[in-house]
Amino acid sequence: QVQLVESGGRLVQAGGSLRLSCAASGRTFSNYLMGWFRQAPGKEREFVAAIVRSDSTYYADSVKGRFTISRDNAKNSAFLQMNSLKHEETAVYYCAAGARMIVLRTPSGYDYWGQGTQVTVSS
């Protein structure tokens, strides 16, 4: 089992930046696909970014060039740096881990989830 805890969500002005953290425990962190998703009220959970064991990264088109996913295996942590935030990106942001790399851009591809951290972008 893997336990994930997100942190770093807060109120930020449109155009601002925020860095989210995900602390993992339970199993060897470096063996897992890591992803970030977000979910706004009334919307489905949406893929944001993923990082594989080789450290190759993948992004939703809507965040490419503004967001950066990274991981620190020695600290069992993953991160999401978000720049130039938009009001419509207000959502609960979730960290996820997957033992098998099947599909990166859908929630069904991940085995473990954190409880989420609220990001609110003011207009």
Side-chain angles (χ1 to χ4, degrees):
Q1 289 286 314
V2 173
Q3 294 81 46
L4 305 173
V5 180
E6 304 95 336
S7 63
R10 63 174 179 86
L11 174 67
V12 63
Q13 293 187 145
S17 298
L18 200 60
R19 185 174 186 257
L20 305 182
S21 298
C22 174
S25 63
R27 294 187 66 178
T28 303
F29 183 80
S30 62
N31 289 338
Y32 286 86
L33 161 72
M34 300 299 300
W36 286 94
F37 289 75
R38 63 190 178 193
Q39 188 166 23
K43 303 291 182 65
E44 294 185 352
R45 194 163 296 190
E46 175 189 28
F47 172 77
V48 176
I51 184 166
V52 300
R53 292 195 295 172
S54 66
D55 286 346
S56 294
T57 57
Y58 303 84
Y59 298 94
D61 288 342
S62 62
V63 308
K64 197 171 297 182
R66 297 186 297 116
F67 289 14
T68 302
I69 187 172
S70 61
R71 67 196 300 165
D72 186 337
N73 293 334
K75 297 181 179 179
N76 284 344
S77 299
F79 307 93
L80 184 68
Q81 177 67 45
M82 305 185 291
N83 297 328
S84 301
L85 280 160
K86 304 173 182 179
H87 175 65
E88 57 265 34
E89 293 176 315
T90 292
V92 177
Y93 283 69
Y94 296 91
C95 176
R100 302 168 64 190
M101 292 181 285
I102 301 174
V103 287
L104 306 180
R105 294 174 170 83
T106 182
S108 63
Y110 297 81
D111 304 295
Y112 307 102
W113 294 84
Q115 296 301 305
T117 186
Q118 177 70 48
V119 173
T120 302
V121 185
S122 63
S123 60

